Amino acid sequence: LGSVVFFGRDFLSESLGQRQAEIISGVEDSEKRLNEATTRLAEAKKQLSQARVIMDQVRKETSSTKAALLEADYNQAKLELSKRFSSASSILMFRERQILSEIKQYVSVLALELVVSKIEKKAGLESELSSYMQESINMVGAASPAPALSVEIGEEA
């Protein structure tokens, strides 16, 4: 046993030294990778934070743009409705005036027809009266022994 320990000690010590060096190298490598991973994690968190700031900014800009577009659409629709209402109002006022004018013209025509009708009736009565008087005079003249005097009653011009 002593000789195994004596001869095997160098081999065992060398083997343990190599194993210890491998373990130390593995631990150092792991620590290095951990530090790199920690650095990458910190960088990713920083990028995530920046992305969130950008997303918030984009949301605000989107909201303000949406509000501006809605306001512009509202104003445009309001202007269009105002124009249409004004146009419709003008058309209605024109049509009202036109109808009023037509009614006035119709009433004027009816009044003229009534006046003409009354004048024609009056002229017709005068004509009848004139011819009745003429006939009466002629009848009186024919019935009397005196010479017949022919009198014409006509319309004055």
Side-chain angles (χ1 to χ4, degrees):
L1 184 64
S3 64
V4 172
V5 171
F6 181 73
F7 291 115
R9 179 175 78 178
D10 288 338
F11 174 72
L12 189 60
S13 138
E14 190 179 315
S15 178
L16 286 175
Q18 274 183 339
R19 182 73 182 136
Q20 184 180 8
E22 286 176 11
I23 291 173
I24 290 173
S25 174
V27 168
E28 287 174 351
D29 197 33
S30 294
E31 285 177 350
K32 183 179 173 184
R33 283 185 284 163
L34 176 63
N35 287 337
E36 288 174 1
T38 304
T39 303
R40 285 192 308 238
L41 177 62
E43 184 65 29
K45 284 182 180 180
K46 183 179 173 183
Q47 289 177 355
L48 177 62
S49 174
Q50 289 173 348
R52 284 185 177 154
V53 168
I54 291 171
M55 285 175 28
D56 287 342
Q57 187 178 12
V58 167
R59 282 186 187 128
K60 287 178 185 176
E61 288 176 5
T62 301
S63 178
S64 65
T65 302
K66 181 180 174 183
L69 286 174
L70 287 174
E71 182 71 23
D73 284 348
Y74 167 76
N75 288 333
Q76 185 177 3
K78 184 178 172 182
L79 180 64
E80 183 67 27
L81 283 175
S82 177
K83 285 180 183 177
R84 286 184 182 186
F85 179 76
S86 177
S87 175
S89 178
S90 296
I91 290 170
L92 286 174
M93 286 183 358
F94 173 75
R95 187 67 182 132
E96 182 181 350
R97 285 187 200 128
Q98 189 178 19
I99 289 172
L100 209 56
S101 176
E102 289 173 3
I103 289 172
K104 286 178 183 179
Q105 186 177 4
Y106 182 71
V107 167
S108 297
V109 167
L110 286 177
L112 284 174
E113 286 177 356
L114 183 64
V115 167
V116 167
S117 171
K118 284 185 178 185
I119 290 173
E120 286 175 348
K121 281 183 184 179
K122 190 174 183 181
L125 286 177
E126 287 178 2
S127 168
E128 284 180 31
L129 183 61
S130 178
S131 68
Y132 176 72
M133 288 173 62
Q134 186 66 40
E135 285 178 21
S136 295
I137 291 173
N138 288 340
M139 283 183 13
V140 168
S144 77
L149 191 56
S150 177
V151 177
E152 291 253 346
I153 300 177
E155 294 182 13
E156 294 180 22

